[in-house]
Amino acid sequence: VKEVEEIGMLLPQVEDCVLNIGKFNGMVSLAAFFPFKSAQAALDNINAISEGVVHADLKLFLETNLPIGGKKKAMLGVGDAKIGGALQEELGLAIQTGGVVAEILRGVRLHFHSLVKGLTAQAASKAQLGLGHSYSRAKVKFNVNRSDNMIIQSIALLDQLDKDINTFSMRVREWYGYHFPELIKIVTDNSTYCKMTQLIGNRKELSEESLESMEEVVMDSAKAQSILEASRSSMGMDISPIDLINIERFSNRVVSLAAYRLELQEYLHSKMGQVAPNLAALIGDVVGARLISHAGSLTNLAKYPASTVQILGAEKALFRALKTRGNTPKYGLIFHSTFIGRAAAKNKGRISRYLANKCTIASRIDAFSDVPTCVFGDKLRDQVEERLSFYETGEAPRKNLDVMKEAVIQAGEVAAEIKIKLAKKEKKRMKREKKLAALSTGDGDEEAVYDIVDHGATENGEAKKKKKKSVSEAVQMEEEASAAENGDVPAKKKKKRKSEAMEVEPVAEEAPETPQTEKKKKRKKKD
């Protein structure tokens, strides 16, 4: 930078100088330019800058081109404050970030193709676009929160399904209630009501024969009997067949949605067991998933202190209390846990604080442990149970140190077992791959190893020892087995019999010589 107006930088006249290439050349001159050797090198550099790390290329470039010594120490302008701090620590340079630096870098970016000889604006934009795509692709591909995203989406869908099923069930109740209003009071569950509307259809056609099928749906014989009696003396209006078909179709959709919700809940349970087993064991799948969803990821949740986890989900109430100087909320999303519901009114705040503390520990173990196990989650749950009983009965709970020592020993054993299982699976996979590679590379004539087990022995439950045979032998054995099943003689025996027949056959008498045969003999002798 030759000269720059720092005080009047934001004036329109000074801003125009940055936009005009002629005036900008008077402010700035190109000292050095170092192009990336390859696209991979560019990607490595941009990844290092995004993480605030000084790359070897950047360090070499600065050490080569910055003036060393002199009366005035060189000042380096850096756009990103994070990388500026890293450069200051590593190279001991005088760094300036923000303010005038941002305006100068804006001008450099705008006129970059003019400053560097042989570079066009089109080539620069193409290079930027390619690097941007590869950087974004790498960020998406190696995203550490991939499993967390599945949990966040599934819990959001689960909540949405609950709302939709409730709304649709109310619509079915209203619609079918015109025809059979008494059913609403007898069957209170939404999913069961929709199944009953499918089963009953027209209430006038309901009879004793359908009592068993109604019992299967309602799971109560008395309730099924009361439905049958109510249908006979119902005050509902008559309904046309086309209306009834539409109601049945709609109720069928609601039933299928309820079934899908159960499947989704199972999926969420399995995902939580893989990603955050300790948190799921402590507070449950749904509440744990809601905490992860609200925090954005499991890593973010692990970074939160226990006080934040306690009121996570009650932000409106917290800021309202701070604004009006009222009482701050005692709990947020963790209120849905069973522990707070079981605690007495005076102990709800205390148990929520204790539970938030344990949730933070569980989330940190899940986020940063190599082998996920639910040992710590179970131990932490036991501790919360003991604390709850302490508030009610006064029985002193165990010390945290003793509990954690037990948990560490158990977790080590479980992790060792899991590692052994994973190693065995890996060995099996490698063996399978080697066999497949051998089969794919080997030709039909070459000898390939096959494991052949006698079918008769396997039927009796006594499998014979496996024998290693070549391809040709295996084919031969299969032919013999098929021939034996058909009642034919095996190929080998046939060959033997043929040879014996050849030996037994008498030699045929020589035919009398003709003039032609004599001529042929003479020719052979001459040859």
Side-chain angles (χ1 to χ4, degrees):
V1 177
K2 296 175 189 175
E3 57 175 357
V4 67
E5 180 62 45
E6 287 192 43
I7 298 165
M9 196 69 207
L10 297 173
L11 290 171
Q13 294 88 350
V14 181
E15 283 185 352
D16 289 341
C17 294
V18 174
L19 298 174
N20 190 345
I21 181 65
K23 291 176 181 178
F24 188 69
N25 278 334
M27 293 165 63
V28 173
S29 65
L30 183 68
F33 170 62
F34 176 68
F36 296 118
K37 290 174 184 176
S38 64
Q40 186 59 44
L43 185 60
D44 292 342
N45 274 277
I46 197 172
N47 282 329
I49 288 166
S50 68
E51 290 164 14
V53 179
V54 179
H55 197 270
D57 292 348
L58 178 61
K59 190 178 177 182
L60 180 66
F61 174 71
L62 291 173
E63 285 174 348
T64 309
N65 296 295
L66 275 175
I68 300 164
K71 291 179 182 179
K72 273 191 175 182
K73 198 176 181 182
M75 176 78 75
L76 183 69
V78 183
D80 186 27
K82 200 176 178 184
I83 198 77
L87 282 167
Q88 197 167 9
E89 282 179 18
E90 193 145 336
L91 301 173
L93 299 167
I95 303 290
Q96 186 179 342
T97 55
V100 71
V101 175
E103 286 296 316
I104 291 166
L105 285 174
R106 188 166 68 89
V108 169
R109 228 179 257 116
L110 183 67
H111 306 300
F112 188 66
H113 58 277
S114 304
L115 294 168
V116 178
K117 289 178 182 178
L119 184 71
T120 60
Q122 193 178 2
S125 66
K126 275 185 180 179
Q128 286 171 3
L129 186 67
L131 181 58
H133 280 177
S134 57
Y135 175 71
S136 304
R137 198 178 294 115
K139 280 285 180 190
V140 171
K141 193 176 180 181
F142 301 109
N143 185 10
V144 292
N145 303 323
R146 280 179 295 182
S147 300
D148 303 357
N149 292 338
M150 301 301 114
I151 289 169
I152 290 163
Q153 293 300 325
S154 50
I155 192 65
L157 181 56
L158 206 63
D159 292 339
Q160 189 63 46
L161 276 174
D162 284 335
K163 288 177 187 175
D164 291 347
I165 289 165
N166 266 337
T167 310
F168 295 158
S169 300
M170 289 307 296
R171 185 65 52 221
V172 172
R173 281 171 185 274
E174 283 181 26
W175 204 351
Y176 194 68
Y178 294 127
H179 179 61
F180 193 2
E182 290 81 9
L183 187 65
I184 296 167
K185 288 182 181 178
I186 300 166
V187 181
T188 52
D189 183 57
N190 288 335
S191 181
T192 313
Y193 186 89
C194 292
K195 285 176 184 174
M196 286 304 296
T197 54
Q198 282 180 300
L199 183 65
I200 295 166
N202 193 344
R203 62 177 166 78
K204 290 183 178 179
E205 294 172 6
L206 202 63
S207 63
E208 296 281 347
E209 293 172 2
S210 55
L211 201 62
E212 283 183 19
S213 55
M214 281 198 294
E215 278 179 24
E216 286 176 11
V217 175
V218 182
M219 304 295 286
D220 189 2
S221 56
K223 201 174 270 188
Q225 190 63 42
S226 61
I227 290 166
L228 187 64
E229 288 169 6
S231 67
R232 287 168 182 167
S233 60
S234 176
M235 55 182 287
M237 65 180 227
D238 292 337
I239 197 164
S240 64
I242 191 73
D243 295 334
L244 202 59
I245 288 164
N246 278 298
I247 292 167
E248 282 176 2
R249 276 184 185 172
F250 187 49
S251 58
N252 188 29
R253 291 291 172 90
V254 178
V255 169
S256 62
L257 271 177
Y260 173 63
R261 190 204 172 283
L262 291 173
E263 289 173 16
L264 190 66
Q265 198 163 4
E266 285 296 318
Y267 167 74
L268 180 66
H269 176 70
S270 66
K271 269 288 173 195
M272 283 296 288
Q274 292 168 12
V275 177
N278 292 300
L279 190 65
L282 173 62
I283 206 168
D285 300 324
V286 176
V287 182
R290 283 208 178 98
L291 286 172
I292 291 168
S293 176
H294 203 83
S297 71
L298 183 63
T299 314
N300 289 353
L301 184 65
K303 288 174 184 175
Y304 286 159
S307 57
T308 307
V309 173
Q310 185 182 345
I311 57 165
L312 207 64
E315 287 85 2
K316 277 187 180 178
L318 173 69
F319 292 122
R320 187 171 63 244
L322 292 172
K323 192 178 179 182
T324 58
R325 295 185 181 180
N327 293 329
T328 53
K330 293 174 184 175
Y331 27 70
L333 289 168
I334 60 169
F335 177 75
H336 298 289
S337 171
T338 54
F339 296 113
I340 294 168
R342 282 157 53 197
K346 61 178 181 179
N347 296 325
K348 280 188 189 292
R350 295 164 79 186
I351 200 72
S352 69
R353 189 163 59 248
Y354 190 80
L355 183 61
N357 187 7
K358 297 302 173 190
C359 283
T360 309
I361 293 166
S363 62
R364 284 169 188 173
I365 292 165
D366 287 329
F368 304 114
S369 60
D370 296 328
V371 182
T373 59
C374 62
V375 175
F376 285 100
D378 294 333
K379 291 288 180 186
L380 292 169
R381 188 178 180 83
D382 294 341
Q383 277 189 298
V384 180
E385 291 280 1
E386 285 173 13
R387 184 53 63 111
L388 201 61
S389 65
F390 167 68
Y391 290 147
E392 289 171 3
T393 61
E395 187 184 344
R398 289 178 295 168
K399 286 186 179 179
N400 188 47
L401 188 66
D402 299 335
V403 176
M404 286 298 112
K405 277 179 181 176
E406 285 178 23
V408 167
I409 293 162
Q410 284 186 23
E413 291 171 2
V414 172
E417 286 176 12
I418 291 167
K419 281 178 181 176
I420 290 162
K421 283 179 183 177
L422 288 171
K424 283 181 180 177
K425 279 184 182 178
E426 188 65 22
K427 278 183 182 178
K428 283 182 181 178
R429 190 180 65 79
M430 291 295 286
K431 278 183 182 178
R432 203 180 298 117
E433 282 180 3
K434 280 180 182 177
K435 279 184 181 179
L436 289 168
L439 287 169
S440 60
T441 53
D443 296 323
D445 298 331
E446 290 179 5
E447 290 189 351
V449 178
Y450 282 85
D451 293 335
I452 301 163
V453 182
D454 190 6
H455 294 286
T458 51
E459 282 173 10
N460 299 330
E462 298 172 359
K464 289 185 179 179
K465 290 180 181 178
K466 293 181 179 180
K467 297 177 183 178
K468 290 183 179 179
K469 298 282 181 183
S470 66
V471 178
S472 56
E473 285 175 357
V475 172
Q476 201 172 348
M477 283 181 73
E478 284 176 8
E479 284 176 0
E480 283 178 16
S482 60
E485 284 174 5
N486 298 329
D488 300 334
V489 182
K492 284 182 181 177
K493 290 181 181 178
K494 280 183 179 178
K495 283 180 182 177
K496 282 181 182 178
R497 284 176 188 174
K498 277 182 182 178
S499 61
E500 286 169 9
M502 290 289 285
E503 286 173 8
V504 173
E505 275 179 5
V507 180
E509 290 179 4
E510 290 181 2
E513 290 185 359
T514 58
Q516 288 177 351
T517 53
E518 283 178 7
K519 284 178 184 178
K520 281 180 183 178
K521 281 182 181 180
K522 284 177 184 178
R523 281 176 192 169
K524 281 179 183 176
K525 283 177 183 177
K526 283 178 184 179
D527 294 336

